[in-house]
Amino acid sequence: MNLKEHQAWLTDFYKTRGWYQYPTFIHLNFMTEEVGELSRAIRAIEIGRDHPGEAKKTPAELEDNLEEELADVLDQVLMISSKYDIDPETLLQRSQNKLTKRFQK
């Protein structure tokens, strides 16, 4: 599955659940929440959690959680771009063009 296919699937999924109609600002809040969870996942890998209420996770569990949180952030980027009718492939090209223009001589 590519990004465009996943964006279409995700949009349909959100519409079925009644989540798509939320304003884009709400989706941005969802993304902010997911970025916080991603931050927590990275912290757990880099410096540990040292939280008495949490069981210590194995390296495989930490990596699995990192992948899950990265996917959640990506999904919210795809939802916001869908709300503005932006093809996700365009985002990839925009990123490459910007960095190439800025840093290549």
Side-chain angles (χ1 to χ4, degrees), residues 56-96:
K56 188 163 176 71
K57 293 183 178 178
T58 67
E61 290 171 324
L62 292 170
E63 183 176 337
D64 182 65
N65 185 240
L66 175 61
E67 289 177 5
E68 179 180 332
E69 299 307 338
L70 282 167
D72 289 347
V73 171
L74 177 60
D75 281 353
Q76 291 307 315
V77 169
L78 292 173
M79 287 310 306
I80 292 169
S81 61
S82 174
K83 298 287 280 185
Y84 288 104
D85 198 29
I86 297 172
D87 182 331
E89 301 295 328
T90 300
L91 301 176
L92 299 177
Q93 191 60 57
R94 294 283 306 236
S95 172
Q96 186 172 339

Side-chain angles (χ1 to χ4, degrees), residues 3-70:
L3 278 176
K4 194 171 192 170
E5 292 168 341
H6 182 67
Q7 183 186 47
W9 176 87
L10 190 64
T11 299
D12 288 341
F13 180 82
Y14 268 56
K15 286 179 179 177
T16 300
R17 300 288 303 182
W19 301 337
Y20 189 78
Q21 84 284 356
Y22 293 135
T24 309
F25 190 76
I26 298 298
H27 287 280
L28 179 60
N29 286 330
F30 293 162
M31 185 170 70
T32 301
E33 179 181 342
E34 296 301 345
V35 168
E37 292 173 10
L38 174 60
S39 177
R40 183 178 182 161
I42 291 172
R43 175 186 171 180
I45 291 170
E46 296 292 328
I47 63 172
R49 288 280 301 151
D50 193 24
H51 190 286
E54 294 178 6
K56 188 163 176 71
K57 293 183 178 178
T58 67
E61 290 171 324
L62 292 170
E63 183 176 337
D64 182 65
N65 185 240
L66 175 61
E67 289 177 5
E68 179 180 332
E69 299 307 338
L70 282 167

